[in-house]
Structures are given as structure tokens and as C-alpha cells.
Amino acid sequence: MKSSDKRLLSDLGEFGLIGRIRERFRVPEGVTGIGDDCAVLPQRSGRDTLVSTDMLIEGTHFLRADIPPYRLGWKSAAVNISDIAAMGGSPTATFLSVALPADLEAGWMEEFLRGYAELSGRFGAALLGGDTTASPDRICINVAVIGECPCGAARLRSLAREGDLVCVTGCLGDSAGGLKAILEGVERDADVQMLIDRHYLPLPRVAEGLRLAATPGVHAMMDISDGIGSDLQHILDASSGGRAAALGAKINLAKLPLSEELRRVCARLGWDAFQLAIGGGEDYELLFTCTPEAEQALDVPHTVIGEVTGRFRVKPGMTGREPEMTDIEWRGADRQFSGFDHFRKA
Amino acid sequence: MKSSDKRLLSDLGEFGLIGRIRERFRVPEGVTGIGDDCAVLPQRSGRDTLVSTDMLIEGTHFLRADIPPYRLGWKSAAVNISDIAAMGGSPTATFLSVALPADLEAGWMEEFLRGYAELSGRFGAALLGGDTTASPDRICINVAVIGECPCGAARLRSLAREGDLVCVTGCLGDSAGGLKAILEGVERDADVQMLIDRHYLPLPRVAEGLRLAATPGVHAMMDISDGIGSDLQHILDASSGGRAAALGAKINLAKLPLSEELRRVCARLGWDAFQLAIGGGEDYELLFTCTPEAEQALDVPHTVIGEVTGRFRVKPGMTGREPEMTDIEWRGADRQFSGFDHFRKA
């Protein structure tokens, strides 16, 4: 923590804290930001508003002792802006709610805001409001993000079609490998440090999402937050909606993009790179489907990992409510993979 | 709790819970709601989007043993929609983030959603997204609300002028009296029960806000969440912005609208009704300023409690960052009053 402000929030006070937040963020022209009952943003015809929100709880999503506040601030903004990227939109504004223990040092929050501002600033998202309140113990964070895209252009999960290719940007599993390294206290050589950085400092794929959404033949899109085992299933479920014959997918394990760093760390420590890549999540890469013709024309770096198949099977688990993660064939695998459920034990 | 579902969230699973949430809320035509990375709402020229967000933490804002989940759901939606009312707007949609302990009974969440849906439904606000996650122990709730109003029509806090009358809708202090009754375990006669209901089941003044915003000469407006001692100060600070001579206000204590129930309970138990009305908060009534001419023409039930004065005093505390609550003269009072600061001790 670089900031040396050791004052406690109970001394700084709620309005002192809000003052510090306001100092860090510039409000764009024509917009009302922090300081009123609501933020006010003009609407434009021919545009759609995009909205998403994510909650981070100390003890569930992060451990205060493990994550530097700058990185937590960065990540809190990044995971939300990634949802805008996943629709093919541009982020406009974020709204930050924080519940903080009164005995937290003001310097912790300064560092959190510095990371939050650094990431949001890179993507042009202003902080236009939120809530500051006291927590009895754990830090709770909620970010709501607003973005926009041309009317009707949002890349929904429900747009996948039989015959589409399944593609991803970047590499998979680095973030999950970084988390595993943190939790297991692995010694931090350069490879491990890269995985940990990928876990704490994800970069939402906003520019890539915009280019993909502007490419004809790119259909369903989402960001990878729970692992492709779970996230691809969401696309299949959403795209099967209401039709008698549901969609499935065949994924070729040999095609999964794994970083050299992840391969080396897994080889050294005996970790299962496929499990990390498929079940781990938090990569915040884009998962999308497109026609083979569109794939040929893409100007966004990506990897084709499989294809969407039709008339695969219809099972009770395909209602969209309790996916059973068995509608994807993992070619080259000797077992099933599944994604993450926040309430279920592994 | 009416629901008899004793299953734990760890058995229902995250997607089971999301399924139950989706069942309760209808998505309006032309809008994408729960189930994608973002909600998608069309923009219209000539309209402004309003956004606000509020966080409720178990142990800070509510005690699980004290508040029935139906009432907590109601209140979570109400306090947010009240922020839209305070701008003179109409609520469009809400976004609900919840962090829940895995050993919470599914029936608790069912009841929470029933209250949330009942209140939002009354004001036409669809639930279009959110986040469901696990909490190690405490329940954390964050609601973000989206609304709209005609372009430029939002009633900002910064619009108060010298010579304006200070007005409120409804009665003040009931909610604070109800909270005090709960915390002190006061016997619940009809008067006390009414105060408790006002605390748990606030009704945002959406219709009143719309009528006030449409009335020429109605200037600043906000909802009363922290008590008028604090909230009126916010209006004065915001309306003094950048001017050498700041605004003040003179409030006549004898004019404060107090319910018969609050008067009787205070008389019986020796409570200070003025302290509850001024410092207690959570009334979710509207506090607004308007010209004397506009006040004559208002078709919204209200009480004039004082006036905005000019060139009152300029003090260090009037920077908008750390209001000292001393720029308001409380006529008829023998002491100062102040509002609520989430991090400071009383």
C-alpha cells in the first residue's frame, strides 16, 4: 500500500470519504454525477443502454490480507466493464457501492480508488454515483456499470446457431492458476507472478468486443467469468430457448489456448491445466460463436476451439434453470468438466 | 415467514435461485432482462436516464432476527425507487445484487423476493438483472435503479434559491420512532405498530415527485433518508456551489409535521419527537424548495416548514465535504440538530 494515510474511516467520516472519491473522478460535460439523489445521463435515439452489476464480498471473492487494495479496485471495475465488452458495447459510467468497517485505514480506500480509477479511466467510464456505508466487519463492494451500443447491436447469449464455430480471445486458465497459486502459497517465480497478475489485473476486452459486434456473422458472445464449462453451457441454453431440439457443442481440448507460463507451472506442480482452463473462470476473455465465413474475416486475435452442433440431445437439465453441464462433448478428455456454482460445494 | 421452503441455498444452487427470481418478474416488451451479460434498454431522444444505487448490510442496516424478509425486500426496492421519485422521474428497472450465506433457507429468499416484487410492481419497475453470490455470514444487498424523466427536468439538489420556501410531503420522524421502538423492544400497541410499519414499509413518493417536477417554481428536491438536519444541509451546500455567499435556512420547529401516533408515543415514553423528526431519517418523504407563488398552486399535499435565506454565513464547513450542520437556524429549538454519518459515532 503506497498511501500513508493511517487515519481511520471513523475519523475521516462519510462525507470526507465521498469528498475523496469526487476528487478522483471527472464528471463528463452534460452529465450529473455524484452528489444528487441520482446521476442524470442524456439518452440518444438509435442507441441502447446496457446495464450490469457485480458484487464482491470479503471472504468469498477476496481475502483482505492477500489482495492489495489497488488490485481489488482495478478488478472491481474490470469485471463489470467486461460485461459491457461482452455485449459489444462501450462503457459510459460506473456506480460504486462500498460497505467498509469503521476501523479501516483511509489509505486502504485511497489505494482501492486509485486502482478503480486507473482501470475505469482506460475505458472512459466515469464514476457517477454509488453508496458509502459502514460494515460491521467484512468489506462489501458492488459495482453497477452503464454502457451503450447501437440499437439492436448487442451480442446476446441467445444468438448461437447450429454450425457456428466456438471461439475465444486470449488464453484460458491463467487467472484460475493464479488464484490456485495464491491459495496454496506457491513460491512466486516469474511464471507464477504472471498468472497472479492475470488474476488480479484482468483487462476487459472492450476494443475486441466492439470489433466483433461490428462483424457480420458473429452471433452469441459473453465474457468468461465462471469458466467455459459453465459459460458455454449458458450460451447453449439461451440459444436453445423454446425450440424442441436443443443445441450442443463439441470442443477440442487440444485447441484450448493455454499460455506457456500456465503450461510450465502446471507441469512443474502437477496441476491439471484443462481443469483450470475449463472450470476455473475469471479469465474475462470473450467467448463467441460465428459462422466459418465470418471467422475467416475476423481482425481480432482469437482461437477456434470447437463448434456448435444441432439436435444434440434434449434432457431435463436443459431448461436453463439447472444445467447439468453434460451437453458439451470435450474431445480428447477422459472425464467431464463443469463450471462454478456460488452456493454448491465442489 | 409464510413460505415453507426449508431447503438451504446450498441445495437449491445458484441457478435454481436465479430461476426463482426470473419466475417472479416479467420482462417488458423490447427489453432484454436477466440472463445475459447486461440488460438492454432502448434509449429515446428527449429523455434523461436516472441512476441510483443503495447498499444494505446485515448488522448495519437491519438485523435478520428483527425484520421479516418480506419487509426487507419491500424496503430494499423502496429506498432506491425513492431516489428516482426525488428527481421527479419514473422508475424503469431495478438490478438486485445479493450475497447470501449458503445455509440460508430458500424460503427466506422467496419472501424477500415477494416483498421486493410487490413494491417494485406498484411502481412499474421491472427486475432486469443483478448478481447472486455466496456470503460467509452476513446478508448483503445492493439495489441499482434506473429511471427516466424529460430531458433537463430532473429536480437537482442544487436548484434552491434565496427566498424559496422549504416544504416536505407527509410526516417526519415516524420511521425513526419505529426503529427506536424495535431497538428498545417497546411493547407494540397500535401507535407503535404504525411507526414500525412506516419504518419497514416506506412508500416512495413517485406520483408526488412527478407532479412537483412538473410545477414551475419548484426548485431543489431530494428524498429524506438521513433526516432533514442532514438532507436540507445537502441542498444548501449543493445550491451554494461556487458562489461567494452561501445559502442558509430558517426552519420553524412548530411547523414540523408530526403524526398523532408519533406525538402520543413520544409523550408516553419521554422521547424527543423533534430529534426523531430532524435527525432520524428514513422517512422517504420529499423535501423541496419552491417560490411562494408556486407553493400556492401546488396540488400535492405538503407542509411549509421554513425558508431559504441568503448570505447567511460562509464557514469552512461549507465546502460540501464536511458540512457542520450549523447553517440552519432551528427556530424554537434550544439546541442544534444534526443528521446521520455512517462512519462517525453519535
Side-chain angles (χ1 to χ4, degrees):
Chain A
M1 197 190 310
K2 291 214 188 68
S3 171
S4 57
D5 192 341
K6 300 283 182 201
R7 281 197 295 167
L8 306 185
L9 288 181
S10 50
D11 298 321
L12 185 63
E14 183 181 5
F15 299 106
L17 175 61
I18 294 172
R20 295 207 172 177
I21 294 173
R22 293 175 78 153
E23 281 165 17
R24 279 211 180 265
F25 296 89
R26 224 177 52 78
V27 175
E29 200 67 37
V31 165
T32 299
I34 298 171
D36 225 299
D37 296 288
C38 293
V40 187
L41 302 101
Q43 297 188 18
R44 293 189 289 166
S45 63
R47 307 291 286 178
D48 282 339
T49 298
L50 306 171
V51 189
S52 184
T53 183
D54 262 305
M55 188 172 252
L56 297 169
I57 307 286
E58 180 179 356
T60 296
H61 300 90
F62 64 92
L63 300 173
R64 208 188 306 179
D66 281 347
I67 186 165
Y70 175 89
R71 294 182 160 217
L72 184 62
W74 173 296
K75 188 166 181 175
S76 302
V79 303
N80 278 278
I81 288 174
S82 179
D83 281 320
I84 300 291
M87 303 299 273
S90 310
T92 312
T94 68
F95 299 82
L96 171 65
S97 302
V98 284
L100 304 170
D103 62 357
L104 191 69
E105 287 179 7
W108 190 96
M109 195 58 197
E110 285 285 335
E111 278 295 291
F112 177 92
L113 291 171
R114 197 168 67 82
Y116 189 96
E118 170 68 27
L119 189 284
S120 343
R122 286 198 190 195
F123 296 98
L127 180 69
L128 292 187
D131 194 11
T132 51
T133 189
S135 164
D137 35 43
R138 295 180 194 279
I139 296 170
C140 306
I141 299 158
N142 191 86
V143 178
V145 61
I146 307 269
E148 61 172 31
C149 67
C151 187
R155 298 292 90 190
L156 307 179
R157 297 180 183 182
S158 55
L159 301 175
R161 299 181 197 170
E162 181 179 345
D164 274 359
L165 299 177
V166 178
C167 308
V168 293
T169 60
C171 290
L172 302 180
D174 288 347
S175 173
L179 177 60
K180 192 172 167 70
I182 295 163
L183 295 178
E184 298 185 2
V186 169
E187 195 189 334
R188 301 193 177 186
D189 64 10
D191 287 345
V192 169
Q193 192 57 55
M194 176 276 196
L195 302 182
I196 290 175
D197 287 350
R198 285 267 293 160
H199 180 69
Y200 281 147
L201 301 171
L203 265 176
R205 296 289 194 180
V206 174
E208 293 83 350
L210 285 167
R211 286 213 297 280
L212 288 167
T215 306
V218 172
H219 294 147
M221 189 154 74
M222 72 183 290
D223 67 332
I224 301 170
S225 56
D226 289 347
I228 59 165
S230 177
D231 292 333
L232 178 57
Q233 187 68 50
H234 290 318
I235 285 182
L236 297 175
D237 288 337
S239 299
S240 300
R243 276 181 287 157
L247 296 177
K250 297 186 196 295
I251 302 298
N252 190 338
L253 254 62
K255 298 282 190 191
L256 291 184
L258 305 177
S259 70
E260 286 306 313
E261 290 88 345
L262 183 66
R263 287 178 195 273
R264 282 195 296 262
V265 171
C266 286
R268 181 159 63 85
L269 299 173
W271 293 354
D272 180 346
F274 290 130
Q275 181 59 45
L276 293 172
I278 295 170
E282 298 210 275
D283 289 310
Y284 301 104
E285 296 293 346
L286 295 177
L287 170 67
F288 61 97
T289 79
C290 63
T291 62
E293 298 72 35
E295 194 273 326
Q296 291 293 322
L298 281 182
D299 65 346
V300 173
H302 68 282
T303 307
V304 179
I305 61 170
E307 60 186 306
V308 178
T309 59
R311 303 178 179 282
F312 196 74
R313 258 180 309 174
V314 181
K315 293 190 289 63
M318 297 196 67
T319 58
R321 276 186 222 136
E322 303 202 22
E324 290 169 6
M325 314 297 171
T326 54
D327 307 303
I328 304 170
E329 185 185 322
W330 303 98
R331 290 182 172 173
D334 51 5
R335 64 201 187 289
Q336 273 301 327
F337 296 96
S338 67
F340 187 71
D341 185 308
H342 285 291
F343 295 116
R344 289 220 168 102
K345 291 171 191 77
Chain B
M1 199 190 311
K2 290 214 189 67
S3 172
S4 57
D5 192 341
K6 301 282 183 201
R7 281 198 294 167
L8 307 185
L9 288 181
S10 49
D11 299 321
L12 186 62
E14 183 180 4
F15 300 106
L17 174 61
I18 294 172
R20 295 207 171 175
I21 293 172
R22 293 175 77 151
E23 283 165 16
R24 281 212 179 264
F25 296 88
R26 223 176 55 77
V27 176
E29 200 68 36
V31 165
T32 300
I34 297 171
D36 226 299
D37 296 287
C38 294
V40 187
L41 302 100
Q43 298 187 18
R44 293 189 288 165
S45 63
R47 309 288 287 176
D48 282 340
T49 298
L50 306 171
V51 188
S52 184
T53 185
D54 262 305
M55 188 171 253
L56 298 169
I57 308 286
E58 181 178 355
T60 297
H61 300 91
F62 64 92
L63 300 173
R64 209 189 304 182
D66 281 346
I67 187 166
Y70 176 89
R71 292 181 163 217
L72 185 61
W74 173 295
K75 188 165 179 173
S76 302
V79 302
N80 279 278
I81 289 175
S82 179
D83 281 320
I84 301 291
M87 302 299 273
S90 310
T92 312
T94 69
F95 299 82
L96 172 64
S97 301
V98 284
L100 304 169
D103 63 355
L104 190 70
E105 288 180 3
W108 190 95
M109 195 57 197
E110 286 285 336
E111 278 294 291
F112 177 92
L113 291 171
R114 197 169 66 82
Y116 189 96
E118 169 69 27
L119 189 281
S120 347
R122 286 196 189 195
F123 296 98
L127 181 70
L128 293 188
D131 194 11
T132 52
T133 190
S135 164
D137 36 42
R138 297 180 192 278
I139 297 169
C140 306
I141 299 157
N142 192 85
V143 178
V145 62
I146 307 269
E148 60 172 34
C149 67
C151 185
R155 298 292 90 192
L156 307 178
R157 297 180 183 181
S158 54
L159 302 175
R161 300 180 197 173
E162 181 179 345
D164 274 358
L165 299 178
V166 177
C167 308
V168 293
T169 61
C171 291
L172 302 180
D174 288 348
S175 174
L179 176 60
K180 192 172 166 72
I182 295 163
L183 294 178
E184 298 186 1
V186 168
E187 196 188 336
R188 299 192 180 188
D189 64 11
D191 287 345
V192 169
Q193 192 58 55
M194 176 277 196
L195 301 183
I196 291 174
D197 287 351
R198 286 266 293 161
H199 180 69
Y200 280 147
L201 301 170
L203 266 175
R205 297 287 194 181
V206 174
E208 293 83 349
L210 286 167
R211 286 214 297 281
L212 288 167
T215 306
V218 171
H219 294 148
M221 188 153 76
M222 72 182 290
D223 66 332
I224 301 170
S225 58
D226 290 346
I228 56 165
S230 178
D231 292 333
L232 178 56
Q233 185 69 49
H234 291 318
I235 286 182
L236 297 175
D237 287 337
S239 299
S240 301
R243 275 181 287 158
L247 296 177
K250 296 184 194 296
I251 301 299
N252 190 337
L253 255 63
K255 297 282 188 191
L256 290 184
L258 304 177
S259 71
E260 287 305 314
E261 290 87 345
L262 183 66
R263 287 177 194 275
R264 282 195 296 262
V265 170
C266 286
R268 181 159 63 83
L269 299 173
W271 292 354
D272 180 344
F274 289 131
Q275 181 59 46
L276 293 171
I278 295 170
E282 296 210 277
D283 289 310
Y284 299 104
E285 296 293 346
L286 296 177
L287 169 66
F288 61 96
T289 78
C290 63
T291 62
E293 300 71 35
E295 194 273 326
Q296 291 292 320
L298 282 182
D299 64 346
V300 172
H302 67 281
T303 306
V304 179
I305 61 170
E307 62 187 305
V308 177
T309 59
R311 302 178 180 280
F312 196 73
R313 257 180 309 173
V314 181
K315 292 189 289 65
M318 296 196 71
T319 59
R321 276 185 224 140
E322 301 201 25
E324 289 169 6
M325 314 299 170
T326 54
D327 308 302
I328 303 169
E329 184 184 324
W330 303 98
R331 290 184 173 175
D334 51 5
R335 64 200 186 290
Q336 273 301 329
F337 296 96
S338 69
F340 187 71
D341 184 310
H342 285 290
F343 295 114
R344 288 223 168 99
K345 292 175 189 75

